[in-house]
Amino acid sequence: MPASLFVVILGLFCCSKESSQSVLGRPELMGPSVALVKSIADFHCKLEIYPKNVTILLQLFKEGDRGKVLGFYTSLNGKIANFPIVVKPNHEGNLECVAKAQNNSDIEPTVSYTQYLKVLEPVNEAEIVVSSGPEEFFEGKTLDLYCKPHAGNHVSYTWLLNGRLVSPSRLRYVVDDHLSINRTTSEDSGSYMCIASNHFNETDVFFSNSSEVVITVKDLVSIPDISFTVLKEDSHNYSAVVACQTAKGSPPVTFSLYNRTELVANMTVDDRNATFKLPLVLDRLMAWLQCQANNGDRIESSQWIPLEVVPVGGPVTMHYDYDIGENYAVIDLRFYCKAAKGSFPRYQWFLNKTLLHGRGSFYYVVNQDPGESRLLLSVGRSSTGTYHCEVSDSFDNATTISSKRLYMDKEVLNRLPVLVVAVVFGCFTALVVLVSICCCIGVIYRRRQYGEKTPLSFEMEGMMTAYEDVLDCSEYNEDTDVLNTASGAEFDQASEASVD
């Protein structure tokens, strides 16, 4: 080998060895992936390729923030670096290890692959913040609640209402620490509590329960109903007891009674009904009344009613209808009783002289409609007798008006009335007479059609006589006899007619 070539190879070998010893490899960062706040976490940085006899500085940084060193270590001859750090919340993120040679700017620094560190701060002192406003409000508004722990991250939230889990729905939104309820009703009232929790691992779980916050959703008042009854004070004086009530509405409720535009009276009650007492004169329109209800958010008004009481007056009428069963027999009967006038009638039913009230073995009294009373009967032996009804004022029984009496038993109900029998028999007789007349008219019409001759028949008869010698009528001897008989008879009749 030429000496010059040997020198070149030796120089390349020396240069490559020197360059390999002047290059830093990529460091490897090792450490925990999750750590608690204020705990000490140990991170290690190992460098496999490094120049001999060169001091290497290993530093721990958070990615993107080289201005703040989290830890450093001076390594000689590849010794593994150890970085013990006191974990803070701002340490969470990607960490990296940077290796560079000290006092040698010719060697390029190298950076490890990043490692993510999750920093967990145990949750503590959770509380509920009502951001929508007061804790007591009327239905229809939106409720917004937030669960705010004083400390903690990576927190999960659970909401409870009266100890039961609040699940998301069409009107309930549960997103992280926020609970929102739209168009609230009184069913959304109760004690709310949030539970904040976070997990360090499968066994270490931290919880914080908030204090309960009581939310009261008040019902708005509904449209009130108004009615009145009559109270007899003595033999000449009466009063009207006006009742105002609303089906819903959180108390207290203020009821106001108006006569047209004039305020008559008002009162605030811890219930949903109130009564007012007014003087009353019978048979006179005293006022037009309206009731208003208010529980703080809006006012609702009832319909207008006249304050007028008409005493019961006659006549009292009673009628009935019935149901038909098998074999066209009457099985159920309904009596109706009604007075000609009266604002507050009281109805009483009698069988013979026995008062019927409520429900019995064969009857049922229905007084749902104040203008009419019904008595429902099951037809049988027990229901046989004389029925009538009596009507009086519900507030004063001084005047009682009775209906006519009506006797009823099963045989009478199922017996055909004389009028019905007469109508049926008359219809049948008329039908027989009508059929007979039709038959007579048919017979007379038939006789006229075949018994009288027309000029054409005489002409045909003459033609037959003229050709009698020519035609061979041996085949028609029988018909000819009939026709001849008929012709002779007709002729005789015609002769007799001409003689006459």
Side-chain angles (χ1 to χ4, degrees):
M1 178 181 295
S4 60
L5 180 61
F6 178 78
V7 172
V8 171
I9 294 174
L10 182 61
L12 292 174
F13 175 78
C14 292
C15 290
S16 62
K17 184 177 181 181
E18 182 179 356
S19 63
S20 65
Q21 292 180 351
S22 302
V23 175
L24 290 176
R26 183 186 295 273
E28 180 183 357
L29 179 63
M30 299 168 289
S33 59
V34 59
L36 290 174
V37 171
K38 299 180 181 180
S39 67
I40 298 176
D42 290 323
F43 287 87
H44 305 280
C45 187
K46 182 173 65 173
L47 188 63
E48 295 287 350
I49 301 174
Y50 53 89
K52 300 296 182 180
N53 301 320
V54 176
T55 302
I56 306 299
L57 178 62
L58 299 173
Q59 295 175 303
L60 183 64
F61 294 98
K62 187 173 180 181
E63 185 183 28
D65 186 9
R66 295 288 179 87
K68 185 174 182 180
V69 180
L70 302 182
F72 65 91
Y73 187 88
T74 301
S75 174
L76 184 63
N77 298 325
K79 190 174 182 181
I80 299 176
N82 181 35
F83 306 114
I85 63 172
V86 178
V87 179
K88 299 179 181 179
N90 60 359
H91 288 162
E92 180 165 331
N94 288 318
L95 303 182
E96 60 187 7
C97 178
V98 178
K100 64 180 180 180
Q102 285 186 328
N103 303 321
N104 192 343
S105 59
D106 293 335
I107 301 177
E108 291 292 331
T110 57
V111 183
S112 69
Y113 292 112
T114 61
Q115 178 175 337
Y116 188 84
L117 174 63
K118 175 183 175 181
V119 177
L120 185 73
E121 183 179 10
V123 67
N124 188 27
E125 296 184 11
E127 66 173 347
I128 294 177
V129 177
V130 185
S131 62
S132 55
E135 298 174 4
E136 181 176 304
F137 54 91
F138 283 95
E139 61 180 328
K141 298 181 180 179
T142 299
L143 174 64
D144 285 313
L145 303 178
Y146 285 89
C147 187
K148 296 298 183 183
H150 286 189
N153 58 0
H154 302 287
V155 181
S156 299
Y157 299 92
T158 302
W159 289 92
L160 301 178
L161 172 58
N162 297 326
R164 295 184 178 182
L165 180 67
V166 178
S167 301
S169 64
R170 187 172 61 89
L171 298 176
R172 290 181 176 181
Y173 301 91
V174 181
V175 181
D176 296 331
D177 63 341
H178 182 204
L179 170 62
S180 179
I181 303 177
N182 295 327
R183 287 185 284 176
T184 53
T185 65
S186 57
E187 294 182 356
D188 298 312
S189 298
S191 298
Y192 286 83
M193 184 177 70
C194 75
I195 301 175
S197 63
N198 52 7
H199 303 254
F200 177 65
N201 51 40
E202 293 182 358
T203 58
D204 294 329
V205 183
F206 304 96
F207 292 96
S208 178
N209 297 347
S210 71
S211 300
E212 291 187 345
V213 173
V214 178
I215 300 296
T216 303
V217 182
K218 301 173 64 176
D219 285 325
L220 294 169
V221 291
S222 60
I223 296 176
D225 295 322
I226 183 171
S227 61
F228 70 90
T229 56
V230 180
L231 177 65
K232 185 177 181 181
E233 303 287 357
D234 53 42
S235 59
H236 299 290
N237 296 314
Y238 300 88
S239 297
V241 180
V242 182
C244 296
Q245 61 180 3
T246 177
K248 57 175 293 189
S250 300
V253 181
T254 299
F255 290 96
S256 302
L257 183 64
Y258 283 87
N259 177 14
R260 299 188 185 273
T261 59
E262 178 186 357
L263 177 63
V264 177
N266 61 5
M267 66 173 63
T268 301
V269 295
D270 290 329
D271 204 348
R272 291 194 292 266
N273 57 76
T275 57
F276 304 91
K277 192 173 181 181
L278 303 177
L280 178 67
V281 177
L282 300 183
D283 255 341
R284 180 184 298 179
L285 179 61
M286 302 295 295
W288 280 93
L289 300 178
Q290 184 189 63
C291 182
Q292 294 184 356
N294 176 23
N295 66 342
D297 192 70
R298 68 182 181 191
I299 300 175
E300 294 288 355
S301 302
S302 71
Q303 63 179 354
W304 292 95
I305 63 169
L307 181 58
E308 181 180 18
V309 177
V310 178
V312 164
V316 173
T317 57
M318 187 174 73
H319 65 282
Y320 69 92
D321 59 18
Y322 52 84
D323 294 327
I324 301 295
E326 296 181 359
N327 301 323
Y328 303 99
V330 178
I331 56 174
D332 293 319
L333 189 68
R334 291 177 293 274
F335 283 115
Y336 300 88
C337 182
K338 185 175 183 179
K341 64 177 183 177
S343 301
F344 296 91
R346 180 179 61 186
Y347 297 94
Q348 291 180 307
W349 290 94
F350 293 88
L351 170 57
N352 299 327
K353 295 183 179 181
T354 302
L355 176 64
L356 306 178
H357 55 84
R359 183 190 294 269
S361 59
F362 62 90
Y363 69 88
Y364 178 39
V365 178
V366 181
N367 290 323
Q368 295 179 351
D369 185 0
E372 185 180 61
S373 179
R374 288 183 295 167
L375 176 62
L376 312 182
L377 294 175
S378 177
V379 176
R381 181 175 299 177
S382 301
S383 61
T384 300
T386 301
Y387 290 85
H388 78 281
C389 71
E390 295 181 357
V391 186
S392 62
D393 290 310
S394 61
F395 54 88
D396 187 2
N397 57 2
T399 302
T400 301
I401 305 174
S402 177
S403 70
K404 293 183 178 180
R405 286 164 170 75
L406 181 61
Y407 177 78
M408 187 278 296
D409 64 28
K410 186 174 183 179
E411 288 73 18
V412 171
L413 284 174
N414 292 298
R415 183 187 305 157
L416 288 176
V418 177
L419 179 60
V420 174
V421 175
V423 170
V424 173
F425 181 76
C427 292
F428 179 74
T429 304
L431 181 61
V432 172
V433 172
L434 182 61
V435 172
S436 301
I437 293 175
C438 291
C439 292
C440 293
I441 292 175
V443 171
I444 295 173
Y445 178 74
R446 186 175 181 85
R447 286 182 178 178
R448 288 184 178 180
Q449 183 177 5
Y450 295 102
E452 298 180 359
K453 293 182 180 269
T454 63
L456 179 60
S457 64
F458 284 109
E459 181 178 355
M460 293 298 295
E461 185 178 353
M463 292 176 63
M464 185 176 64
T465 304
Y467 295 95
E468 190 174 20
D469 297 334
V470 180
L471 297 174
D472 184 9
C473 299
S474 59
E475 302 180 29
Y476 307 100
N477 286 334
E478 184 177 356
D479 292 339
T480 304
D481 292 341
V482 173
L483 290 174
N484 288 341
T485 302
S487 300
E490 291 172 359
F491 180 78
D492 292 339
Q493 291 175 2
S495 300
E496 292 174 0
S498 61
V499 171
D500 294 336

